[in-house]
Amino acid sequence: MALDHAILVSLLEQPGSGYELARRFERSIGYFWTATHQQIYRVLKRMESDGLLDVRDIPQQGRPDKKEYSVAGPGRDALAAWLHEPIEPESLRHDLAVKIRGAAFDDPAALIREVERHHRVHSERLEHYLTGERRDFTGPGAPAPLDAGQELQHVVLRGGIAYERMTVAWLDDVLATLHRIGPAAPRT
Amino acid sequence: MALDHAILVSLLEQPGSGYELARRFERSIGYFWTATHQQIYRVLKRMESDGLLDVRDIPQQGRPDKKEYSVAGPGRDALAAWLHEPIEPESLRHDLAVKIRGAAFDDPAALIREVERHHRVHSERLEHYLTGERRDFTGPGAPAPLDAGQELQHVVLRGGIAYERMTVAWLDDVLATLHRIGPAAPRT
DNA sequence: TCGTTCTATGCAACTCGTTGCATATCAAGA
DNA sequence: TCTTGATATGCAACGAGTTGCATAGAACGA
């Protein structure tokens, strides 16, 4: 249930509506957690009825009303309790690796385009993260010195950057391997 | 549904029972996919009734009978079809990163032990993978030259190694950051 | 001898996550 | 004018994944 906690953290950093949260999950929170808007709305409703969140209805002109959520006392306590519990070190779930091993029973060369596509996506994410880092942490307009919260946000972002960099390098390795074994016949 | 495909690949590499598959998922396949035995048994049953797998009952002495599964023709076709479809580049889901950002609203120093624990687990996984690499690919007893299937298994393992190495280095960074901001008061 | 671990399979209940669909208004462009 | 896209929220159904429990004999160590 880390989605609950990710939402609590995000709302502590800045209160907002379900729609706004969904957009944050496409951006900064997306470094380490993903969620669709349907999921978010459902969880927000549940957490509000459990008293973890407060809601404020904000009427808007020409747009549907917006419900701004913020963290209530019990929500803060729930987050603190979770922070003090140990969690399992998580493991990878990497479909592409399944495909790569599966390619031994098909045509390995046919995978090259797919791997190149993934390479592009991860390179773009890396660029995107680096741009965000310059804007918020290392560029000329960034605050200095950073406070504790910003330091923590920065180290999480560095994790996202390290992940994308590692992935891009590995995909280079995969491509080189596919080219090397290129003309090989599939295993029967 | 990549679990289905991971099972197909594993059974093509080597037919086996649900129990054996579960153990493989704790080892080599665990580099890129995890699954519990309950999940595996359920999926095996479904794939068998869909005609993707064949079963052979193997009676054993002093032990419950074993059901050895192998991939049938339609299973092979299903895998080939999936290999030719594009898949979404996946994103991270990292609870620990949620905790790190959440620590800004609690006591950052309290996270140090937790991060150290994760550091240990990932270091052990890295050692484990490196041992496997020496045994199967780079050590003196390893086959040389490798065939296409072994090359692909090796590049996937290199991915697991790169991931663990990157993670350990990032956790070092996280620890340094936590120590640096150590005495800071939590945000209110 | 007694508990634990390993082999081997499975059900039931539950939560989590995804997909498809639906509504409603405004702004911008073709 | 008509369509697309952004804002803003939501239901229903399904599929994936987790947790707890149950069975049962063999091997092994305390």
Side-chain angles (χ1 to χ4, degrees):
Chain A
M1 332 208 191
L3 176 56
D4 300 38
H5 304 113
I7 287 176
L8 286 171
V9 170
S10 189
L11 289 179
L12 278 169
E13 288 174 355
Q14 178 77 50
S17 68
Y19 187 81
E20 283 163 355
L21 277 173
R23 282 195 308 172
R24 290 186 216 168
F25 272 85
E26 284 170 12
R27 301 171 186 213
S28 65
I29 305 176
Y31 303 153
F32 54 85
W33 207 266
T34 55
T36 60
H37 75 274
Q38 290 87 346
Q39 228 187 121
I40 290 167
Y41 283 122
R42 201 200 296 155
V43 172
L44 283 174
K45 193 162 286 183
R46 197 193 64 227
M47 288 203 290
E48 195 243 313
S49 80
D50 290 349
L52 305 183
L53 299 178
D54 291 326
V55 205
R56 240 175 12 120
D57 257 71
I58 300 183
Q60 295 186 121
Q61 293 171 342
R63 286 193 187 161
D65 288 1
K66 179 159 103 163
K67 293 186 187 174
E68 195 186 69
Y69 290 90
S70 53
V71 179
R76 214 167 222 288
D77 296 344
L79 181 65
W82 177 70
L83 286 172
H84 290 276
E85 268 171 21
I87 50 172
E88 279 298 296
E90 80 306 316
S91 305
L92 277 182
R93 288 243 163 145
H94 210 309
D95 307 56
L96 189 60
V98 179
K99 277 200 173 189
I100 292 167
R101 262 172 90 148
F105 305 95
D106 196 76
D107 176 18
L111 252 179
I112 289 177
R113 303 185 80 121
E114 172 83 339
V115 175
E116 284 172 344
R117 196 169 57 83
H118 285 248
H119 191 283
R120 268 197 302 280
V121 171
H122 285 284
S123 299
E124 278 160 22
R125 279 192 204 159
L126 175 57
E127 277 314 311
H128 178 68
Y129 291 177
L130 287 171
T131 304
E133 187 184 36
R134 276 190 296 272
R135 184 187 59 232
D136 297 332
F137 301 113
T138 59
L146 304 176
D147 67 30
Q150 289 164 334
E151 287 278 10
L152 292 171
Q153 287 187 25
H154 190 192
V155 79
V156 168
L157 176 54
R158 287 200 298 273
I161 289 170
Y163 176 77
E164 297 302 336
R165 217 169 243 160
M166 180 280 296
T167 301
V168 168
W170 177 61
L171 291 174
D172 282 330
D173 186 6
V174 171
L175 282 172
T177 304
L178 288 173
H179 282 293
R180 181 148 33 87
I181 66 178
R187 278 207 247 176
T188 47
Chain B
M1 322 210 198
L3 176 55
D4 300 39
H5 304 113
I7 287 176
L8 286 171
V9 170
S10 190
L11 289 179
L12 278 169
E13 289 175 354
Q14 177 77 50
S17 69
Y19 187 81
E20 282 164 356
L21 277 173
R23 283 194 308 172
R24 290 187 216 167
F25 272 85
E26 284 170 11
R27 303 172 184 211
S28 65
I29 305 175
Y31 304 153
F32 53 86
W33 207 266
T34 56
T36 60
H37 74 274
Q38 290 86 346
Q39 228 187 121
I40 290 167
Y41 284 122
R42 203 199 294 152
V43 171
L44 283 174
K45 194 163 284 184
R46 196 193 65 226
M47 288 203 289
E48 196 242 313
S49 81
D50 290 349
L52 305 182
L53 299 179
D54 291 326
V55 206
R56 238 171 20 113
D57 257 71
I58 299 184
Q60 295 187 119
Q61 293 172 341
R63 287 193 186 160
D65 288 2
K66 179 159 105 162
K67 293 187 187 173
E68 196 186 69
Y69 290 90
S70 53
V71 179
R76 214 166 222 289
D77 296 344
L79 181 66
W82 177 70
L83 286 173
H84 291 275
E85 268 170 23
I87 50 172
E88 280 298 297
E90 81 305 317
S91 306
L92 277 182
R93 288 242 164 147
H94 211 309
D95 307 56
L96 189 59
V98 179
K99 276 199 173 192
I100 292 166
R101 261 172 92 149
F105 305 96
D106 194 75
D107 176 18
L111 252 181
I112 290 177
R113 304 185 78 120
E114 173 84 339
V115 175
E116 284 171 344
R117 197 169 57 84
H118 284 247
H119 191 282
R120 267 197 302 280
V121 171
H122 285 283
S123 299
E124 278 160 22
R125 279 192 203 159
L126 175 57
E127 277 313 310
H128 178 70
Y129 291 177
L130 288 171
T131 303
E133 188 184 35
R134 276 189 297 270
R135 184 189 59 231
D136 298 332
F137 302 113
T138 59
L146 304 176
D147 67 30
Q150 289 164 335
E151 286 279 10
L152 292 171
Q153 287 187 23
H154 190 192
V155 79
V156 168
L157 175 54
R158 287 201 297 273
I161 289 170
Y163 176 77
E164 298 301 336
R165 217 170 242 157
M166 179 279 296
T167 301
V168 167
W170 177 60
L171 291 175
D172 282 330
D173 185 7
V174 171
L175 282 172
T177 304
L178 288 174
H179 283 293
R180 182 148 33 86
I181 66 177
R187 279 207 245 175
T188 47

